[in-house]
Amino acid sequence: MKRIAMLILLACVPCWAQTSTQGHPATSNITGAEFPKVYSDRRVEFRLKAPDAQKVQVQIGGATLDMVKSADGVWSATSEPQVPGFHYYALVIDGVAVNDPDSKTFFGVGRDYSGIEIPEAGVDFYALKEVPHGEVRELWYHSKTTDAWRRCFVYTPPGYDANVRSRYPVLYLQHGAGEDETGWIRQGHANFILDNLIAAGKAVPMIIVMDRGYAAKPGQPVSTVFGPGAAPVGSPESLKVMKDMSEVFGTVVLDDLIPFIDARFRTIANRDSRAIAGLSMGAMQSFQIGVGNVDSFAYIAGFSGAPMGFVFGGNQLDVKTAFDGVMSDSAAFNKRVHVLFVGVGTAEAERFHTGVESFHKALDQAGIHTVYYESPGTAHEWQTWRRDLNEFAPKLFK
Amino acid sequence: MKRIAMLILLACVPCWAQTSTQGHPATSNITGAEFPKVYSDRRVEFRLKAPDAQKVQVQIGGATLDMVKSADGVWSATSEPQVPGFHYYALVIDGVAVNDPDSKTFFGVGRDYSGIEIPEAGVDFYALKEVPHGEVRELWYHSKTTDAWRRCFVYTPPGYDANVRSRYPVLYLQHGAGEDETGWIRQGHANFILDNLIAAGKAVPMIIVMDRGYAAKPGQPVSTVFGPGAAPVGSPESLKVMKDMSEVFGTVVLDDLIPFIDARFRTIANRDSRAIAGLSMGAMQSFQIGVGNVDSFAYIAGFSGAPMGFVFGGNQLDVKTAFDGVMSDSAAFNKRVHVLFVGVGTAEAERFHTGVESFHKALDQAGIHTVYYESPGTAHEWQTWRRDLNEFAPKLFK
């Protein structure tokens, strides 16, 4: 009996030791915060001191976990192993979803939200590495279309300031619904992805412009789709908001943003040196703006999204007649658009996976050449989109 | 009786109308959020839907207000009139201080925090206006001192990219304890302040570098002073952390940051074209780094702070012997340092107001010329520091 107890003890010590010692504070934590802690098997332990709360939960990866209160009033819960990448999450204190005070915040789901970074073993294409780094610039410009000031972020590649005679191609890169112009840097690490690709000689040095995908005619209210008072996402009202907004946004891009960027930066200001890409709602916008304006863009990509008529919007779109019939002559279109990239995660919800796949198939059947990329094991999340960008950027401007 | 009731009704309608119609969503709210709402008398109404919470409060301006629950589970409270400017605040749900989901977040007090902007009537020196705008650039550089990558933000003035032969003076500008390198832009609007001053011809075009005021020797932990597990601010342990950290940070500035900035930007790389300023802990750092290195800086400012030995740190510092005696020959020092600026808010807590005033008096008695600025009616908050910058920047590099 003693011997069995001893064996159990011996067997358990390593388990316990693994759990308690192989965890690390998430890199998305604020400085000094021990929790959330990510274990080597990608389970995450969350904690919150809340002696007077009746119930505390954590919402992550589609699950809601009840946290358990200790004698000292600290609540804790450990999640199932998480998929690598970046996940939004919330703590729920007596029914109210709030940020974890120990997490940095990231604008998503219409507000500043907690997020957690789960490392992917052996993968560092989006990490800050010992390579030359570009800059990310915050700029304000006035839009005639909206009669308002707008903020955009611009990545300039390493050497941009030193090589004063060089001109650069430009990728316009859009966030998803409920996110904003900060998303591709803060959540996506687009700057590090490009720094690393350029250092490895895999991508040409390029400028990336990240604008705010929300726009409204002068005096009209602007919605962030997920924000307060917004209609349920996917509802007809919400789709109409997205559609109307994206039309105005398309005008902003063509009439205000591109002229501003071409005037301010040393761009190569022609279609062969201009790309547009986006994720989810941004994918919808990129197809609409890019395919709708092939005089302005020669490279077009959508990550986890498709034009209205796929994913959202009911009827399937006829790609032959859509966009003023620009794809009806597939040979001409294929010659004109150098890369049409369609990406999706294999673990996305049915609606997205089927919607994007259907769009890809429709293009195929119409004789339109595409690059189709499936991100293995990832859902409608930033790891999918980081991988998409890492796949798409090397195909640009060559 | 009817007539009296009518008069009361007539008298009350305007009051009610004023309260309900003259409020506006705070500009610091997320898109679409109606609350917090700022009324014309600068009272603020906060709301939170939390049907299952036992108690909800709001912490703002040193007060904690109990919110009152309506039948539909929405809690609300209206504060006393707030001082104009930017204030951190928190909601307290059953004892846990959390962000208001309807507010943007700002890094302060060691974490991403809710903040509210209260307009100041007739004052727009920190507003986004119809003037040429500079850029705010995010850069990563490797520090030999800390053996780590560090992030800084750099404001380049309007025209920097176009005027490729122009060189610019540089202001190094530091945040306070518990804040970070994002503070001077997000909370302070330093970019708009400079855009406006430059447009009005009041300040010369300059570069502003905003670094992270936290640093540690390789392998040592870094503290944000207010972060998780930190000692109480003002305690001997906390002061030691600030002191040790600031020493390492001083080395970072002199050995890593200035060489990086001078290599990357078209700076005028000499002391007469270099300034350092900071707020609170950043003021302490600016005096320590600036006065301690007058070979490197000709303009030095502290907003709401002073060297260790004033405000915090017990004994009064002897300015004649401090900093290796650089101020012992006041005539020589006054010739060498073109502006020594000391600022404080009239409504600051005793410790800060007395500490900064004592430092100013000690400088006066030692024959050191200073520019002393008191911000009327403001406390240890961003409105004080915005005004400080607006006063200090026009005195630079002339």
Side-chain angles (χ1 to χ4, degrees), chain A residues 44 96 169 231 269 293 301 363:
Chain A
V44 184
V96 188
N293 298 278
L363 292 170

Short mmCIF file of all heavy atoms in Angstrom, two decimals, chain A residues 44 96 169 231 269 293 301 363:
data_model
loop_
_atom_site.label_atom_id
_atom_site.label_comp_id
_atom_site.label_asym_id
_atom_site.label_seq_id
_atom_site.Cartn_x
_atom_site.Cartn_y
_atom_site.Cartn_z
N VAL A 44 -4.42 27.55 -20.95
CA VAL A 44 -4.19 28.88 -20.39
C VAL A 44 -4.88 28.97 -19.03
O VAL A 44 -6.05 28.61 -18.89
CB VAL A 44 -4.75 29.99 -21.30
CG1 VAL A 44 -4.41 31.36 -20.73
CG2 VAL A 44 -4.21 29.85 -22.71
N VAL A 96 -21.22 40.64 -16.54
CA VAL A 96 -20.73 41.71 -17.43
C VAL A 96 -19.38 41.30 -18.03
O VAL A 96 -18.42 41.02 -17.30
CB VAL A 96 -20.54 43.04 -16.66
CG1 VAL A 96 -20.23 44.17 -17.65
CG2 VAL A 96 -21.76 43.37 -15.83
N PRO A 169 6.31 50.04 -54.42
CA PRO A 169 4.91 49.63 -54.64
C PRO A 169 4.13 49.69 -53.32
O PRO A 169 4.74 49.76 -52.24
CB PRO A 169 5.05 48.19 -55.12
CG PRO A 169 6.34 47.70 -54.55
CD PRO A 169 7.25 48.90 -54.45
N ALA A 231 -26.84 46.35 -35.17
CA ALA A 231 -27.69 45.18 -35.43
C ALA A 231 -26.84 43.91 -35.38
O ALA A 231 -25.63 43.96 -35.58
CB ALA A 231 -28.33 45.33 -36.81
N ALA A 269 3.30 54.94 -58.64
CA ALA A 269 1.86 55.23 -58.65
C ALA A 269 1.19 54.69 -59.90
O ALA A 269 0.66 55.45 -60.72
CB ALA A 269 1.64 56.72 -58.49
N ASN A 293 -12.20 47.80 -59.69
CA ASN A 293 -11.35 48.88 -60.22
C ASN A 293 -9.99 48.34 -60.65
O ASN A 293 -8.95 48.73 -60.10
CB ASN A 293 -11.16 49.98 -59.16
CG ASN A 293 -12.47 50.62 -58.77
OD1 ASN A 293 -12.96 51.51 -59.47
ND2 ASN A 293 -13.07 50.14 -57.68
N ALA A 301 -6.50 40.49 -52.95
CA ALA A 301 -6.59 39.33 -52.06
C ALA A 301 -7.71 39.51 -51.04
O ALA A 301 -7.96 40.61 -50.56
CB ALA A 301 -5.27 39.13 -51.32
N LEU A 363 -15.05 31.25 -59.19
CA LEU A 363 -13.98 31.88 -59.99
C LEU A 363 -13.34 30.85 -60.91
O LEU A 363 -13.09 31.10 -62.10
CB LEU A 363 -12.91 32.48 -59.06
CG LEU A 363 -13.34 33.69 -58.23
CD1 LEU A 363 -12.27 34.03 -57.19
CD2 LEU A 363 -13.60 34.91 -59.13
#
